[in-house]
Amino acid sequence: MYTLVRRFIKTGVGFLFIGLALGLWMLVRRELMGVWPDPYLVSAHAHLVLVGFVLFLIFGVALWLFPRPAREDERYRPALAEAAYWILLVGTAGRFLAEAARAVTPAPALGWGVVLGALLQVAGIGVYFWTMWSRIRPVGSHLREAKGERF
């Protein structure tokens, strides 16, 4: 497992624990103090777990397990996969911070932080799939399928 794969997976686990801590804090406040969570915190929690954990984990495992790029493949570039990581990391962390801040202060400018974080998340996902698209291909299975094997 090479560095970028480990980075995706370990970052995902980090986001999971931050999301779990936030979720537990919101649950304790709701159940023991009668304080319902702010919608911004609910959104921050969801994005930490779904984008931060699930997508980072999936992206790391896919990067590790998908077939190597074909020799003539000019689309896949490790630098783009690295860029996707950083764009998605900044977008997810930024969105979390902006949404958490909106829960405690009504500053309208934080809305731009939420939107910018979301735009970076979408851009990071787009860059990732742009560079990985050519790696989603058959490696031998199409020959077995042609012979009638079913999967």
Side-chain angles (χ1 to χ4, degrees):
M1 195 180 296
Y2 57 94
T3 303
L4 185 57
V5 170
R6 288 191 313 271
R7 193 179 309 142
F8 264 110
I9 293 171
K10 287 182 176 184
T11 300
V13 172
F15 276 130
L16 173 65
F17 281 107
I18 296 167
L20 289 174
L22 177 58
L24 182 61
W25 181 71
M26 290 188 304
L27 180 74
V28 167
R29 287 188 51 158
R30 186 188 73 197
E31 296 302 322
L32 302 181
M33 299 173 201
V35 178
W36 281 83
D38 187 280
Y40 289 114
L41 288 181
V42 173
S43 180
H45 168 70
H47 281 91
L48 281 173
V49 175
L50 295 176
V51 176
F53 172 61
V54 175
L55 270 187
F56 271 84
L57 189 70
I58 289 171
F59 284 2
V61 171
L63 196 59
W64 180 33
L65 294 179
F66 280 18
R68 290 179 184 260
R71 292 190 193 279
E72 67 277 359
D73 184 1
E74 294 179 11
R75 187 179 214 171
Y76 178 78
R77 290 187 303 232
L80 278 179
E82 179 93 20
Y85 170 83
W86 288 108
I87 295 167
L88 191 56
L89 174 68
V90 170
T92 303
R95 182 170 182 169
F96 160 67
L97 292 172
E99 286 185 322
R102 287 218 62 186
V104 294
T105 182
L110 289 171
W112 286 104
V114 174
V115 171
L116 179 61
L119 287 171
L120 287 172
Q121 286 177 315
V122 170
I125 293 166
V127 170
Y128 181 86
F129 280 111
W130 169 259
T131 193
M132 290 296 287
W133 191 259
S134 60
R135 290 183 61 183
I136 305 171
R137 66 183 198 286
V139 179
S141 60
H142 66 290
L143 299 173
R144 294 193 315 267
E145 288 173 348
K147 292 180 182 177
E149 188 174 338
R150 299 175 81 61
F151 296 93

